[in-house]
């Protein structure tokens, strides 16, 4: 992605959010159009002028809400991460004490995949999150949120870890899952099933070392 800007000072914050219903529709159209264009053209193929043209809004409407295209991506990334976190929270709320930790882990991964499989712009957005400093901060915060959910899910399934390593284990699980999901879409596929299978093996194997006390 030759046009990605490796500047940590890049302004990624929306300028404002609309209050009125009509303005809200314009705001949402900008976001949805950007996501569609990401699918069609990738990050390098889009700019604010094209987004305005395809969204059928004046370019001034873009800059009213966003300083640049990366700020639009930032909003889309936060929404995607919030959705993934909420999916895992909803899944966890349905767990009961009879659910094995293995089934919980596999189900959590499947839930994240099925809940985001058809998101527009998913592949380009995931790549941009890893390549742009500001977006990577959003990505890392999302992983930390997922780590908390995973550890609560383990507790609900009757699995406990040493207090001295609990946070580290949660963060490792929170980092591994998104990283492998990113890899599973890196070649243009929507969650390559072979990569997902390896992700599940890695997760089960990793946690088993603590359950069996072999590490």
């Amino acid at each position: 992605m030759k046009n990605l800007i490796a500047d940590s000072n890049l302004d990624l914050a929306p300028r404002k959010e609309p209050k009125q219903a009509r303005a809200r529709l314009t705001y949402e159209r900008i976001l949805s159009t950007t996501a569609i264009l990401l699918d069609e053209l990738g990050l390098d193929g889009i700019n604010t002028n094209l987004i305005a043209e395809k969204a059928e809004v004046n370019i001034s409407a873009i800059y009213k809400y966003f300083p640049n295209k990366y700020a639009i991506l930032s909003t889309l990334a936060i929404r995607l991460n919030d959705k993934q976190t909420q999916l895992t929270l909803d899944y966890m709320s349905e767990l009961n004490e009879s659910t094995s930790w293995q089934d919980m882990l596999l189900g959590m991964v499947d839930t994240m995949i099925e809940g985001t499989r058809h998101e527009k712009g998913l592949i380009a957005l995931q790549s941009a999150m890893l390549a742009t400093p500001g977006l990577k901060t959003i990505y890392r915060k999302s992983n930390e949120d997922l780590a908390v959910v995973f550890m609560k899910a383990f507790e609900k399934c009757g699995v406990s870890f040493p207090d001295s390593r609990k946070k580290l284990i949660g963060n490792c699980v929170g980092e591994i899952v998104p990283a492998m999901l990113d890899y599973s879409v890196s070649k243009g596929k929507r969650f390559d099933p072979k990569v997902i299978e390896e992700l599940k093996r890695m997760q089960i194997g990793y946690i088993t070392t603590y359950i069996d006390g072999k590490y």
Side-chain angles (χ1 to χ4, degrees), residues 87-88 91-92 95 99-115 117 150 153-154 157 159 173 176-177 181 191 193-208:
L87 284 167
T88 56
Y91 174 79
M92 191 184 76
L95 294 175
T99 305
S100 70
W101 67 266
Q102 295 95 331
D103 287 341
M104 177 276 291
L105 265 182
L106 300 180
M108 195 81 84
V109 171
D110 289 339
T111 295
M112 292 178 65
I113 289 172
E114 293 309 314
R117 184 183 295 278
F150 271 111
F154 278 120
C157 293
V159 176
V173 172
I176 291 169
V177 172
L181 292 181
F191 301 114
K194 292 182 179 179
V195 175
I196 299 305
E197 181 181 348
E198 294 308 306
L199 163 61
K200 291 177 177 179
R201 287 177 179 272
M202 290 170 64
Q203 292 291 77
I204 297 295
Y206 173 53
I207 298 302
T208 296

Side-chain angles (χ1 to χ4, degrees), residues 7-21:
D7 181 1
S8 60
N9 295 318
L10 185 66
D11 188 0
L12 297 177
R15 287 192 166 127
K16 61 184 294 187
E17 286 198 23
K19 303 297 183 183
Q20 298 180 343

Side-chain angles (χ1 to χ4, degrees), residues 25-185:
L25 287 174
T26 298
Y27 184 84
E28 293 298 328
R29 191 158 64 246
I30 291 169
L31 291 171
S32 61
T33 299
T34 302
I36 291 170
L37 289 172
L38 282 171
D39 261 351
E40 295 175 351
L41 304 173
L43 183 59
D44 288 344
I46 67 173
N47 54 53
T48 51
N49 286 323
L50 180 62
I51 294 169
E53 176 188 342
K54 296 298 182 180
E56 298 181 342
V57 300
N58 194 288
I59 188 65
S60 62
I62 300 280
Y63 292 119
K64 180 178 180 180
Y65 301 116
F66 304 100
N68 50 59
K69 73 176 182 180
Y70 294 96
I72 305 176
L73 293 179
S74 174
T75 302
L76 289 172
I78 290 171
R79 287 189 174 190
L80 175 61
N81 291 339
D82 286 348
K83 182 174 183 177
Q84 289 176 331
T85 301
Q86 189 59 51
L87 284 167
T88 56
L89 285 170
D90 291 344
Y91 174 79
M92 191 184 76
S93 70
E94 298 175 358
L95 294 175
N96 55 60
E97 294 180 356
S98 65
T99 305
S100 70
W101 67 266
Q102 295 95 331
D103 287 341
M104 177 276 291
L105 265 182
L106 300 180
M108 195 81 84
V109 171
D110 289 339
T111 295
M112 292 178 65
I113 289 172
E114 293 309 314
T116 57
R117 184 183 295 278
H118 301 295
E119 289 288 311
K120 294 294 185 182
L122 173 69
I123 296 171
L125 185 58
Q126 294 279 47
S127 298
M129 287 170 66
L130 289 171
T132 309
L135 294 181
K136 196 167 185 178
T137 300
I138 297 171
Y139 172 87
R140 187 115 296 125
K141 174 60 168 61
S142 174
N143 293 355
E144 292 173 358
D145 293 341
L146 283 176
V148 173
V149 176
F150 271 111
M151 295 312 289
K152 289 181 178 178
F154 278 120
E155 291 177 6
K156 199 166 184 178
C157 293
V159 176
S160 60
F161 300 100
D163 289 339
S164 61
R165 298 182 71 89
K166 187 178 296 184
K167 184 175 181 180
L168 176 60
I169 294 168
N171 286 340
C172 286
V173 172
E175 287 286 331
I176 291 169
V177 172
M180 289 295 287
L181 292 181
D182 292 335
Y183 180 54
S184 73
V185 301

